[in-house]
Amino acid sequence: MSRKARLILVMVIIEAGLAGLWWYLARYGMTNPGRVTPDFQAVLGQTMGMAMGGLLGVGIMLFFIAARNDRKAAQNKPQG
C-alpha cells in the first residue's frame, strides 16, 4: 500500500472519529440543556470545526509529502 493510500485511510478514520465525537457532544447538549451553557452549540461547532479543518489542512500538506516520497521510492527501486 502506498504512502498516499495509508495517509488517506488514516485521515478518514481520524476525521470520522472527530465527527462522531462532535455528533455525540451535540446530542448531549440538546438532551441536557440544563447542564451546558446557552452558547454550547456555537462553541462546540467552532471548536470542532476548527479541529477538523486544521487536521484536514495538515493532511493535505502530508499528502503532497507522501506523494513525493512515493515518487522517490519508485525512482530508487531497481528496474527488473
Side-chain angles (χ1 to χ4, degrees), residues 40-77:
F40 176 77
Q41 295 294 339
V43 172
L44 177 66
Q46 290 173 353
T47 304
M48 294 302 291
M50 181 64 82
M52 291 176 75
L55 184 64
L56 187 61
V58 169
I60 290 171
M61 290 189 302
L62 290 175
F63 178 82
F64 288 123
I65 293 170
R68 183 190 64 193
N69 289 341
D70 281 345
R71 282 192 305 272
K72 282 183 181 179
Q75 288 174 352
N76 293 338
K77 193 174 190 179

Side-chain angles (χ1 to χ4, degrees), residues 5-62:
R6 285 186 294 205
L7 177 70
I8 291 172
L9 181 65
V10 167
M11 292 302 294
V12 166
I13 291 170
I14 292 172
E15 289 283 341
L18 285 173
L21 178 65
W22 190 351
W23 183 264
Y24 169 76
L25 289 173
R27 286 183 50 103
Y28 178 81
M30 287 187 291
T31 56
N32 300 303
R35 301 188 95 192
V36 297
T37 62
D39 64 341
F40 176 77
Q41 295 294 339
V43 172
L44 177 66
Q46 290 173 353
T47 304
M48 294 302 291
M50 181 64 82
M52 291 176 75
L55 184 64
L56 187 61
V58 169
I60 290 171
M61 290 189 302
L62 290 175

